[in-house]
Amino acid sequence: MDESPEPLQQGRGPVLVRRQHPAPRGLREMLKARLWHSCSCSVLCARALVQDLLPATRWLRQYRPREYLAGDIMSGLVIGIILVPQAIAYSLLAGLQPIYSLYTSFFANLIYFLMGTSRHVSVGIFSLLCLMVGQVVDRELQLAGFDPSQDGLQPGANSSSLNSSAAMLDCGRDCYAIRIATALTLMTGLYQVLMGVLRLGFVSAYLSQPLLDGFAMGASVTILTSQLKHLLGVRIPRHQGPGMVVLTWLNLLRGAGQANVCDVVTSTVCLVVLLAAKELSDRYRHRLRVPLPTELLVIVVATLVSHFGQLHKRFGSSVAGDIPTGFMPPQVPEPRLMQRVALDAVALALVGAAFSISLAEMFARSHGYSVRANQELLAVGCCNVLPAFLHCFATSAALAKSLVKTATGCRTQLSSVVSATVVLLVLLALAPLFHDLQRSVLACVIVVSLRGALRKVWDLPRLWRMSPADALVWAGTAATCMLVSTEAGLLAGVILSLLSLAGRTQRPHTALLARIGDSAFYEDATEFEGLVPEPGVRVFRFGGPLYYANKDFFLRSLYSLTGLDAGCVAARRKEGGSERGVGEGGPAQGEDLGPVSTRAALVPAAAGFHTVVIDCAPLLFLDAAGVSTLQDLRRDYGALGISLLLACCSPPVRDILSRGGFLGEGPGDTAEEEQLFLSVHDAVQTARARHRELEATDAHL
């Protein structure tokens, strides 16, 4: 910046400030510098790379046991206790055996401990992803010839009848189901890792919060519908594709008379206890240092009652069945199945990435640290890629467990190791104890966990009052999830969000500004009272970018508010041969664009203004069509003897105007100083001064 040698003091004259144009840097030099920076290798660079990929190697050296250890152990134990019943319950959603949910919870916690950048996020099984995995598993099982209404938890599920295509398989239903899930998980993780490598963490920002809330609401209704048959103990077909929710409800109404009385009573008691405990925990959460492990207590009591009451033998109540202990040998997912589920994995990758990054950023803001979105993609992706070889399915960050983790004193991801240890204890010794656990109890745990997502429906009226466009995105996403499918709901939400964004930029707010008293500030004349309009000057504000999609709206709004269609008037004058003071091509670039003659000033006098000032402060960017629109507008106004001035242009907008030919060629050209102003007030005062000079010249002549 060039400025006066003396410091600016109050009461002194104005200081000349000229913009300093950066030296242009060629594309070749920029690529060469980036390539050299990326390919240069040293011990320090290698160490920094390892620490970036494994953030735990950095923060573990700064770990303070006296301050952090107690909170990490407490939160890890609580999350581990919550994980066990949820893992067993969510296996119903995924259509898999409970042992695979326990595997997933164990490995996801360990991997995110090493690679995650968030200190408070809990990564593991997530109900929405479990639903999406379960839908793909059910579809592929049905195509393979397995009974779609046969649940993996049911004893004898592997002996279900097969058709000719399924007879060629070398394993039963449960084996084939986990093969589908691992293939889907590996593809999901590969997509997420690829997004992280390509620095695509910003993509998740395009999944807006109304979209995610609507998706959670619609998916929650789908989950609730899928669990009703377990709550009632009825056998109904499992539907796929559009209308699944509606068809399931119709089948439930038809089969309500066949409900299992034992399951209905158990579900009622468990729902009452769980909901009451949740309400009490929410009401007195400030007094409770540790959340009540209600799910675990309900599952333990229900398992004891079912075992000693022999509910399965006496009443035919469905139970979890055998849950093995230990770990299975690794297995490579089948490439054939990976090809079949490659498209389904895209939706899982986007949903998992969006929820994980948004939760990580939310907790980072509330606790005063930063996270790296691209590293979060790598971490969540590796939580899917590596466990896919170990009989696990898709995972992501989960809000409910992350909130519990924060409330119980979590300080670092060391708490994830403690949670994994609790799950490991169940895997090695305690899993068979849940053999007689009723599936209706597991369904109750799932339904109660949806309470927060289902409550979001009460936010819709407030969202509508605040932003109808966001409310439509919310409602459209939720309705498509419920009536069509979760994947279609996600796609519909993305399309509606993009249309909403395009609509807001295509028809932004426009206004004529007037002066606030004797100050140098201007505001919307229709929004505020007592403003003073500047005589002979129209100040126009366009509240958005100027590009190809809204250039016509820009001109219509300007002509409507100023009361003069400069394009039509200039065209008529040109056809009538009345343009004597201005050439056909308009004024040359760099020339004074003020009124050129007394005859040309007749039109401004009739219109009531001689200058139009465009407030470019809200103008985020222009494209080629936007620059061309301004050039044509300046030509038309110039033909009518009206000046066009721009105020408050940001440096990027100035650069676009200069490169587009709207300004002079050189950086110090007088055209820029005569057309661009730092404030609206400067532009207005300059316009009035020029008009007074022109009037004085005409009077002298």
Side-chain angles (χ1 to χ4, degrees), residues 92 151 226-234 263 267 439-440 443:
L92 286 177
D151 291 307
S226 68
Q227 297 306 301
L228 288 176
K229 66 177 183 178
H230 300 297
L231 296 176
L232 301 176
V234 297
D263 286 336
S267 301
R439 281 189 290 171
S440 59

Side-chain angles (χ1 to χ4, degrees), residues 375-579:
Q375 178 61 27
E376 285 296 306
L377 281 174
L378 289 175
V380 177
C382 289
C383 286
N384 289 321
V385 171
L386 300 180
F389 297 88
L390 302 169
H391 308 280
C392 302
F393 55 89
T395 60
S396 72
L399 176 60
K401 291 191 288 292
S402 299
L403 291 174
V404 173
K405 201 173 185 179
T406 305
T408 51
C410 172
R411 304 298 294 272
T412 68
Q413 280 297 332
L414 189 63
S415 62
S416 298
V417 179
V418 180
S419 301
T421 304
V422 176
V423 178
L424 179 63
L425 178 63
V426 176
L427 279 170
L428 297 179
L430 302 180
L433 299 179
F434 297 99
H435 177 277
D436 292 324
L437 177 61
Q438 294 171 267
R439 281 189 290 171
S440 59
V441 179
L442 299 177
C444 291
V445 174
I446 295 174
V447 170
V448 172
S449 69
L450 304 174
R451 187 173 55 108
L454 294 175
R455 280 181 172 179
K456 291 183 180 296
V457 70
W458 303 114
D459 296 337
L460 188 58
R462 179 185 59 83
L463 187 62
W464 175 265
R465 292 191 298 268
M466 183 173 59
S467 174
D470 288 339
L472 291 177
V473 172
W474 190 102
T477 305
T480 309
C481 281
M482 291 183 289
L483 300 178
V484 184
S485 66
T486 52
E487 293 83 0
L490 180 63
L491 179 61
V494 172
I495 294 175
L496 289 174
S497 295
L498 294 178
L499 290 177
S500 171
L501 180 61
R504 293 173 182 177
T505 58
Q506 191 171 358
R507 301 181 65 87
H509 178 70
T510 58
L512 282 183
L513 308 184
R515 190 175 179 182
I516 304 177
D518 295 331
S519 68
F521 301 101
Y522 293 76
E523 264 302 340
D524 188 351
T526 60
E527 295 287 339
F528 299 92
E529 297 179 355
L531 302 185
V532 181
E534 289 293 336
V537 181
R538 297 292 182 268
V539 183
F540 177 70
R541 174 182 289 171
F542 190 70
L546 179 58
Y547 66 113
Y548 68 94
N550 65 3
K551 59 183 180 63
D552 294 331
F553 177 75
F554 170 83
L555 293 176
R556 289 198 305 269
S557 301
L558 175 61
Y559 294 158
S560 175
L561 291 174
T562 58
L564 175 64
D565 190 337
C568 293
V569 174
R572 286 197 299 267
R573 290 190 59 184
K574 182 178 179 180
E575 293 176 358
S578 58
E579 289 187 287

Side-chain angles (χ1 to χ4, degrees), residues 97 150-159 174 312 317-322 435 439:
Q97 289 290 330
Q150 191 89 22
D151 291 307
L153 293 181
Q154 183 170 340
N158 287 329
S159 60
D174 292 337
H312 175 60
S317 180
S318 300
V319 295
D322 294 327
H435 177 277
R439 281 189 290 171

